[in-house]
Amino acid sequence: MNIRRSITLMCCVTLCAALIAGSLCAQTQRGPSTPEERAKAVKIAHELENDPLSADMKDKREWLLRWIIEVPDIHVIICTGVLGPKFASEKPFSGELIAQQMASEAAFIIENPTKADDKLAVYTAGAEGVLKAYQSIQKQKPKAKRPSLDALLEQRANGKLQDAIKQGMAGCTK
């Protein structure tokens, strides 16, 4: 179990490093996002929440993630800790759910530019997007259980989602 968790964390760290490196290179090659791109990004982020496993969502997800990496004016921070302490070691659909966190955070920043620096609000929007996507996945694949997300759903139902997000933020940098 410890080896599996180490491998999963190593994969997440590698993904983050690749995203950061790609982001730094891409940001020097293009200008800020356009209003049309921002509208497309928000639309895709919400579509992904509602049907993350749809065949046509794969290309849209890839476009959105590439766009988030490339644009210099939309900044999201990957912090899977806000999704629960064991989220990174759970399967299935890790890639889709981490991508959803990024997509939902970006959509929130676009829709609420004055709150872009409010980490709690941004992380909460990302977590809400992940929870919506998770619930959509479960409708299609009822056996796709993620205990950390089930716990977040329960905390949300009890009005304690932001408390859980704050606790998860403690392990994040920046």
Side-chain angles (χ1 to χ4, degrees):
M1 179 87 165
N2 288 337
I3 292 173
R4 177 183 258 175
R5 183 173 181 181
S6 295
I7 291 170
T8 302
L9 290 175
M10 177 92 70
C11 289
C12 286
V13 169
T14 303
L15 172 66
C16 291
L19 289 173
I20 291 168
S23 176
L24 294 175
C25 290
Q27 285 179 358
T28 61
Q29 297 174 358
R30 69 156 288 161
S33 62
T34 66
E36 295 79 16
E37 288 173 322
R38 290 190 297 274
K40 180 179 178 180
V42 168
K43 182 178 184 236
I44 291 172
H46 294 308
E47 288 175 353
L48 286 168
E49 290 172 353
N50 295 319
D51 196 5
L53 301 182
S54 173
D56 65 326
M57 288 295 119
K58 182 180 179 205
D59 290 339
K60 290 180 179 184
R61 183 182 295 110
E62 288 176 10
W63 177 87
L64 182 56
L65 292 178
R66 189 176 317 109
W67 180 80
I68 290 170
I69 291 167
E70 290 176 358
V71 296
D73 57 328
I74 307 292
H75 303 281
V76 299
I77 300 170
I78 300 171
C79 177
T80 59
V82 301
L83 301 174
K86 296 183 180 182
F87 176 84
S89 64
E90 295 175 354
K91 297 194 186 297
F93 304 109
S94 295
E96 290 86 353
L97 294 169
I98 292 171
Q100 186 62 56
Q101 183 182 23
M102 293 174 63
S104 296
E105 287 179 6
F108 176 82
I109 291 167
I110 292 165
E111 294 174 319
N112 303 279
T114 60
K115 295 184 179 182
D117 293 327
D118 182 345
K119 288 182 182 177
L120 178 59
V122 172
Y123 286 145
T124 300
E128 286 283 5
V130 169
L131 292 175
K132 287 178 188 174
Y134 176 60
Q135 289 176 310
S136 296
I137 289 169
Q138 284 201 303
K139 287 178 185 173
Q140 294 178 37
K141 308 242 182 218
K143 293 182 181 179
K145 294 289 186 185
R146 306 266 321 214
S148 61
L149 296 182
D150 291 333
L152 272 186
L153 286 168
E154 186 176 323
Q155 289 169 319
R156 182 176 70 181
N158 293 330
K160 297 184 179 190
L161 181 61
Q162 283 202 330
D163 293 338
I165 301 290
K166 285 178 190 175
Q167 187 175 15
M169 287 172 61
C172 300
T173 58
K174 284 190 177 182

